[in-house]
Amino acid sequence: FHKTLLALPLTGIIVFTVLPIIYMVLVAFTSYDAAHDGYSNLFSWVGLENFNELTNFGKGGLGLAFGEILSWTLMWSFFATFTNYFLGMFVAIMINKKGIQLKKFWRTALVMTIAIPQFVSLLYVSKLFDSSGIIGEALGQIPTIQNFLRSNNYISLWDSPTVARSLVIIINIWVGIPYVMLQATGILMNIPGDLYESARVDGASAWQQYTKITLPYMLFVTGPSLLTSFVGNLNNFNVIYLLTGGNPLNTEIGTAGGVSVGHTDLLITWLYKMALGSAESKYYIASVIGILIFLVCAVLSLIIYNVIPSTTNEEDFQ
């Protein structure tokens, strides 16, 4: 009877999850693109030829572009994860602190950020920082910023690689802090107050209480969540694509694989451009990038999982 009941969901998993993954992996070993789609012109097996393209470090080659985008992807994921984590925790601590007035108001104001769909809020914020946007135009009136834009022939703040990368991290903080704040609020309420009282009696400062009680407890409880957040930011398509579309263009690389390479492109947005962002639609290269993204996520996940307190110091919190 139980096998009969499990037959339907198991079939669904195989058809909608397992087979598409196998199909995607197999595409990486073919010439499947817009010109060889399997209908008008059949694609063929090419073996490891597509993977060898990533070793091309010349002008327009995929190797140089992949290395540049991978380094920024890892940098982005690190800052996007830990800035949200620590600032969200700090906000939760401040709101839950005794004597703080209007706690419900502060929580509601922060939650409003995630109540609005990201598709709307991120596109709107992107326009705000454009040259014709309110914030972008106001900042452009500041002499220092005005001279910076003129001297580099930039029209808006999004044209500067450094500024664009900084802005996407800052805006991601605005979007991500409420999630961490809500998560941290529930955990902080479960930390025994006796621990803090004993620490104060022993003369511990606020910083010592945070580093010896609050932070270890938070890292133990939220370790797996922090790991999934890091991996999620490696594939954070929404924030990057809706804010910048991967721009500004990386002039040193230009195009690779027939698509433009931007300074804020992540591997996931580059994959999207390969598959759907050009007339050639190189599905085979997109599949290769997808496999490499999986390998990067898997390796980092295994390394981080073996060092987080949730697995290394489990006995300390029993």
Side-chain angles (χ1 to χ4, degrees):
F1 179 69
H2 66 280
K3 293 179 180 178
T4 304
L5 290 179
L6 290 174
L8 184 60
L10 182 60
T11 302
I13 292 173
I14 293 174
V15 172
F16 297 108
T17 303
V18 178
L19 289 181
I21 292 175
I22 295 175
Y23 179 79
M24 186 275 289
V25 172
L26 293 178
V27 166
F29 300 92
T30 69
S31 60
Y32 187 19
D33 58 13
H36 305 84
D37 56 8
Y39 297 98
S40 58
N41 190 7
L42 293 178
F43 56 84
S44 58
W45 295 97
V46 296
L48 296 175
E49 182 179 321
N50 297 331
F51 291 88
N52 291 334
E53 287 193 35
L54 291 176
T55 61
N56 181 6
F57 291 93
K59 185 70 173 178
L62 293 178
L64 186 61
F66 178 78
E68 178 72 19
I69 296 174
L70 176 61
S71 62
W72 160 240
T73 300
L74 294 175
M75 187 189 308
W76 149 263
S77 189
F78 176 83
F79 283 106
T81 301
F82 290 101
T83 52
N84 283 347
Y85 184 75
F86 286 104
L87 290 176
M89 190 193 311
F90 174 76
V91 170
I93 292 172
M94 294 303 297
I95 292 178
N96 288 294
K97 194 175 180 64
K98 291 182 179 180
I100 298 296
Q101 302 296 323
L102 304 174
K103 292 185 178 183
K104 291 183 178 179
F105 169 78
W106 298 121
R107 290 196 185 101
T108 303
L110 286 167
V111 170
M112 286 298 293
T113 303
I114 58 178
I116 302 172
Q118 281 192 0
F119 178 78
V120 176
S121 59
L122 292 177
L123 283 177
Y124 182 70
V125 172
S126 174
K127 298 302 179 184
L128 285 178
F129 283 93
D130 204 352
S131 58
S132 58
I134 297 174
I135 299 177
E137 189 172 352
L139 292 175
Q141 301 301 319
I142 301 175
T144 304
I145 297 179
Q146 198 175 69
N147 293 333
F148 168 75
L149 295 176
R150 287 177 178 175
S151 60
N152 291 280
N153 296 320
Y154 295 148
I155 298 175
S156 71
L157 297 172
W158 294 119
D159 292 334
S160 169
T162 304
V163 175
R165 288 181 172 183
S166 302
L167 279 177
V168 294
I169 292 175
I170 293 171
I171 294 170
N172 185 68
I173 292 174
W174 169 68
V175 173
I177 275 183
Y179 290 101
V180 181
M181 183 270 296
L182 291 175
Q183 184 184 48
T185 298
I187 297 171
L188 291 172
M189 289 181 177
N190 289 320
I191 300 178
D194 296 342
L195 294 176
Y196 293 104
E197 186 176 348
S198 300
R200 284 191 292 269
V201 171
D202 291 338
S205 63
W207 175 251
Q208 289 174 324
Q209 293 177 41
Y210 172 75
T211 55
K212 300 299 182 181
I213 300 175
T214 306
L215 184 58
Y217 196 93
M218 284 289 298
L219 287 174
F220 176 78
V221 177
T222 62
S225 175
L226 190 61
L227 173 59
T228 57
S229 177
F230 183 84
V231 174
N233 280 315
L234 283 172
N235 296 295
N236 197 332
F237 179 85
N238 283 354
V239 173
I240 298 298
Y241 195 78
L242 294 177
L243 284 177
T244 66
N247 294 318
L249 177 67
N250 190 328
T251 54
E252 294 182 1
I253 298 177
T255 60
V259 299
S260 62
V261 177
H263 282 282
T264 59
D265 262 324
L266 303 181
L267 288 175
I268 189 68
T269 60
W270 193 39
L271 182 154
Y272 175 81
K273 289 180 179 180
M274 284 288 183
L276 301 173
S278 67
E280 298 179 1
S281 296
K282 295 185 176 181
Y283 302 114
Y284 59 92
I285 294 296
S287 180
V288 171
I289 298 172
I291 293 173
L292 294 175
I293 291 175
F294 165 75
L295 292 176
V296 171
C297 291
V299 171
L300 290 176
S301 297
L302 290 173
I303 294 173
I304 297 173
Y305 184 77
N306 286 306
V307 298
I308 57 178
S310 303
T311 55
T312 57
N313 302 323
E314 184 175 356
E315 295 79 8
D316 297 344
F317 291 85
Q318 296 296 332

